Amino acid sequence: MSVDVDGSRYVDDVEPRTLLVHHLRERLGKIGTVVGCDTSNCGSCTVLMGSADGEQHSVKSCSVLAVQADGTAVTTIEGLAGPDGALHAVQQAFHELHALQCGFCTPGMILSAVDLLRDNPAPTEAEIRAGLSGNLCRCTGYQNIIRAVQSAAAALQGAATAVLPSEVTV
């Protein structure tokens, strides 16, 4: 198979039963892609993968065979930052608004938020909750995650002000 991961091309022989999450972690060293539940319930293993429409969409890499990524581009959390190391707006907002505690769900949550904001650049709180519903966090209670996605949406739209904590309804 041949796949672009985080901007680098990899050509590899892969067993047909190998899951994308295991290929990324064990063969390519992309350990930011977390193995959580192995049942596609938690979303920790979420990556962005190219599709027929040319866009990258979030997928749970524990439910995708590595060979299904043949010919596509995959972005992991390691590849989301800019070439100069500058954090993506979603990463920056998660950092600034303390949208993580243990960090286990963070890579998948961030990549799901990136996908959500690409499709819906100005989501409501309800739309954010729905867009992230496939990602579980056992630590934060989601309030700061919602705030971070709202802040990232504003930053991506070029808004000058960040979302204040009082603007989030729980």
Side-chain angles (χ1 to χ4, degrees):
M1 70 175 274
S2 175
V3 63
D4 244 350
V5 179
D6 298 336
S8 295
R9 170 74 60 192
Y10 295 91
V11 178
D12 201 1
D13 288 328
V14 179
E15 281 189 49
R17 64 185 175 154
T18 302
L19 294 173
L20 181 58
V21 68
H22 296 297
H23 182 68
L24 292 170
R25 290 179 60 82
E26 297 163 13
R27 295 292 297 224
L28 305 184
K30 301 296 182 175
I31 59 172
T33 303
V34 179
V35 178
C37 63
D38 261 340
T39 61
S40 76
N41 288 314
C42 74
S44 293
C45 66
T46 300
V47 297
L48 300 176
M49 188 170 100
S51 63
D53 65 8
E55 295 288 334
Q56 286 191 319
H57 297 281
S58 60
V59 298
K60 294 177 182 178
S61 62
C62 75
S63 64
V64 175
L65 294 171
V67 295
Q68 290 176 283
D70 186 30
T72 70
V74 174
T75 301
T76 70
I77 195 70
E78 289 99 335
L80 193 57
D84 62 351
L87 295 178
H88 184 279
V90 176
Q91 291 172 307
Q92 188 66 40
F94 267 63
H95 171 72
E96 290 175 357
L97 296 172
H98 309 286
L100 58 109
Q101 284 184 17
C102 80
F104 196 80
C105 70
T106 305
M109 198 71 75
I110 287 174
L111 290 166
S112 291
V114 168
D115 188 29
L116 168 68
L117 294 176
R118 189 198 70 249
D119 290 342
N120 183 353
T124 64
E125 180 181 336
E127 290 168 332
I128 294 169
R129 288 184 182 278
L132 299 179
S133 65
N135 296 78
L136 300 178
C137 176
R138 293 175 176 93
C139 300
T140 67
Y142 298 96
Q143 292 88 339
N144 287 352
I145 293 170
I146 303 298
R147 288 179 47 221
V149 176
Q150 290 172 322
S151 178
L156 289 168
Q157 290 180 4
T161 59
V163 176
L164 299 175
S166 62
E167 295 176 12
V168 176
T169 306
V170 179

